Amino acid sequence: MNISKNLKYFFILPALLSIAAIAAIALWGLKPGIDLAGGSLLQVTYPNGRPAVEQVHTAVAPLNFGEVRVQPTGASGYILRQRDLGNDERNTFLQALGNLGEVKEDQFESIGPSIGAELLNKAWIAIVLITISIILFIAFAFRGVSKPVSSWKYGIVAIATLLHDILVPVGLFALLGHVVGAEVDSLFIVALLTILGISINDTIVVFDRIRENLRLNEEHRKREEFSDVVSKSITQTITRSINTSVTVVIVLVALYVLGPVATKNFALTLIVGMLVGTYSSIFLASPLLVVWEKWSRK
């Protein structure tokens, strides 16, 4: 695999995906779920057959509870999301739904806006701390590597790759939120943190192989272009990275298809993150090192 020859082609797909993701986020943003923005969730079942979504909206409109998001679930149920409701408002809500037919309450959750804001702030703090920790760890782990690329550059490139890896699923959910009303919740944050962990693992595997090949060249007094070292390192690790990712994706696809509704967005986020992360670990992170090394020489 010739990195120098094919360098520009490796960046086309990540660039297109990143631009599309940024555009989706800028245009539509993300729709936070009740555990991040606050509000209530009511899941009900109509044993004798559920009414149409339009009928549900018509029934609850006179209550003046603000926006009510209605999502079908199962064969005869609905999940309704709205502002935080008190106990009396909840009973009034159920009564309005009961006017459309026999209704059974399956689940009710209510989270205040202050709790949701606190969870969101802690999520961002966790992501920032993880990012800083990764840079420091990689800089320390690769402290013996100074030629031709300094150790701290490995950390910066790894973070740039990780930003791409989480940007794509975030952009996807901005699009899904606009098209089908998909919301992001605490599980979405967990999925992003998981993507960070898995992607950095694959990236470090390739980087470690680069470090090992550089060390062997130094021991044997062998002169080799850095791009050739990177190409050889990718060839040596690509099979392992792809096989590992494919096995994980198979499990996630099974979870998405056969799992409960509550975990579908979680599984979808991880599937997209795994696919994007595998590509970037092999074809984005290491080529970025080559570009940086060439730019430094010039």
Side-chain angles (χ1 to χ4, degrees), residues 31-76:
K31 286 190 174 182
I34 63 168
D35 51 351
L36 296 181
S40 60
L41 178 147
L42 176 65
Q43 182 173 346
V44 297
T45 301
Y46 286 89
N48 299 324
R50 66 186 176 199
V53 175
E54 294 76 12
Q55 291 179 284
V56 176
H57 280 296
T58 302
V60 301
L63 302 179
N64 295 321
F65 287 164
E67 180 186 7
V68 178
R69 302 176 188 175
V70 183
Q71 175 187 346
T73 180
S76 58

Side-chain angles (χ1 to χ4, degrees), residues 32-40 84 110-125 184-186 189:
I34 63 168
D35 51 351
L36 296 181
S40 60
D84 188 23
S110 183
I111 298 178
S114 59
I115 298 178
E118 181 181 357
L119 288 173
L120 187 59
N121 289 335
K122 287 184 177 179
W124 283 115
I125 291 173
V184 298
D185 52 15
S186 55
I189 303 298

